[in-house]
Amino acid sequence: MAHLLSSEVRQLLHNKFVVILGDSIQRSVYKDLVLLLQKDCLLTHKQLRAKGELSFEQDKLLEGGQTGPMHNRTNYREVRQYCSGHHLVRFYFLTRVYSEYVQAILKELQSDKHTPDVVIINSCLWDISRYEQDYVSSYRENLENLFRHLGQVLPQSCLVLWNTAMPVGRKITGGFLPRDQQYLALILRDKVIEANFYSSMEAKNHGFDVLDLHFHFRHEEQHRQTDGVHWNQWAHRHLSQLILAHMADAWGVELPQREPVGKSIESGPASGEPDQGVERQPQARGPLALPMTPPLPPPRQRPLLPTPRLPPPQLRPPQPHPILHHPGVPPQFLFCPQDTHFSSDHPFQSDQFFLNPCHSDVPSSTQTGFDFEADFRFGPQPPRPLLPTPYYQHRAPMVHRGFPRNPPRGPYVPCGRRPRSCRKRAPAHPEPRPH
């Protein structure tokens, strides 16, 4: 598994409808995924803190947010959607794992003309801190009702991924907890662990996938914001890569063999450091950054027997030096402004994604390791030395047949744009029919 680039994420989520439901942390999951579908950039600190904005990176606010009252009460609403020709991502803000509002959302998804391919959901912090004191029984009951309802309205082909709540700090500040409930900050860490246990068990009992974010980020306190609840842009990019790797594994898609996703986040700018105030700057050597130069291949072992001397080779015309390309080194992430938009999409011509039963492993005649030139002769040949294969004789990359170079128009039409007609225009000067 690898850290995917923007072009690779577009290939993985090609013609996919992704629905994300949850609190402000899941909203940042939505934002980072929308950004990664367009650019190889990280979110800025300002983008992470913003909520209810009318537009974020070409998306639209469909309901709530700045179109209504902005507050931190349990009836806050925010619905966002990013739509392109081949991608559809929607976000619903939740303050409770199951309620009348959640039932209305599931009814809307059931009647939508597009069936969700992926549903990513989490709700925990609001449930255990803003409602009844006996949160255990009510939370477990709501979890059971949610998963049973999901199984009724979603098709079996839909991937339902339950994210466990991420670890919280020992001190919680900001507007998450009301002033009369600040005492909950001392016990919220233990309550989150208990709630994660019940939610993960309930999801597995109903046959849904679980991504244990509490486990993955248990030693990454330096990437948590100073409020004790939210996380910085480095952590959210790592979180997105974990989700994408889980999707690829569920769909049987092999990822490029690069830096593994399962490793913990490397040391980088932590919360509260000066880099949070700087919104746009190049990534130097932060977390999730891969080495600048690829590691050298291991040296070949010498043969046990000495290689006999070969006759001097015939002179050949000089070969041009191949252009070395290291697919294991992705471009460095940048902090990108919100008002700029560019696309790095290009025809997919590598083996970065391929399904196991749908790929060709037969090399062409120009990819073999034999030389059919003037020095070819019949009879026994002297043994060839064990030398590394030249770069230009390596096997050419395989192209996944499921990703055409000129993909057709997708099923999703961006808001305000009509689909192009498929009818062909009649020729200006029709040819006469033969008599």
Side-chain angles (χ1 to χ4, degrees), residues 58 62 192 216 219 228 263 271 273 286 321 364 368 390 409 434:
Q58 316 301 318
L62 302 181
V192 166
H216 285 286
H219 298 311
K263 296 176 63 176
S271 60
E273 293 188 2
H321 294 284
S364 62
T368 58
R409 292 182 60 85

Side-chain angles (χ1 to χ4, degrees), residues 17 36-38 40 57 62 76 104 106 130 163 166 173 189 194-195 215 234 251-252 341 347 387 426:
F17 179 19
L36 190 55
L37 280 170
Q38 306 175 65
D40 285 312
E57 294 293 342
L62 302 181
Y76 176 75
L106 297 181
R130 292 295 192 93
N163 289 343
M166 302 177 71
T173 60
R189 291 169 60 91
E194 183 180 10
F215 171 80
W234 307 101
W251 295 333
H341 175 73
L387 299 177

Side-chain angles (χ1 to χ4, degrees), residues 119-148:
V119 173
I120 303 172
I121 183 171
N122 169 262
S123 181
C124 177
L125 295 181
W126 289 75
D127 295 77
I128 64 179
S129 61
R130 292 295 192 93
Y131 294 95
E132 299 87 355
Q133 296 293 332
D134 185 16
Y135 73 94
V136 176
S137 58
S138 62
Y139 187 57
R140 295 186 64 178
E141 181 180 357
N142 289 333
L143 285 170
E144 183 178 357
N145 294 331
L146 170 71
F147 293 132
R148 183 177 63 252

Side-chain angles (χ1 to χ4, degrees), residues 212-335:
D212 195 349
L213 299 181
H214 194 284
F215 171 80
H216 285 286
F217 292 89
R218 68 194 186 281
H219 298 311
E220 308 298 340
E221 295 86 359
Q222 70 275 14
H223 297 285
R224 190 165 47 218
Q225 303 284 9
T226 55
D227 61 359
V229 176
H230 299 92
W231 297 75
N232 63 13
Q233 60 272 17
W234 307 101
H236 275 287
R237 179 50 53 88
H238 189 65
L239 196 161
S240 298
Q241 298 290 347
L242 291 172
I243 293 177
L244 293 170
H246 190 98
M247 293 180 185
D249 183 67
W251 295 333
V253 178
E254 293 192 16
L255 299 180
Q257 299 299 322
R258 292 200 296 263
E259 186 73 8
V261 168
K263 296 176 63 176
S264 60
I265 307 176
E266 300 176 3
S267 59
S271 60
E273 293 188 2
D275 93 297
Q276 289 190 356
V278 181
E279 296 182 1
R280 302 174 182 94
Q281 63 180 4
Q283 175 186 355
R285 293 286 292 178
L288 306 181
L290 302 183
M292 296 298 296
T293 57
L296 296 177
R300 292 181 176 269
Q301 298 181 357
R302 296 183 178 180
L304 299 179
L305 298 178
T307 305
R309 295 182 177 271
L310 298 177
Q314 299 180 2
L315 295 180
R316 299 178 183 178
Q319 300 288 341
H321 294 284
I323 300 177
L324 297 180
H325 171 68
H326 302 287
V329 182
Q332 300 298 310
F333 294 118
L334 302 176
F335 292 100

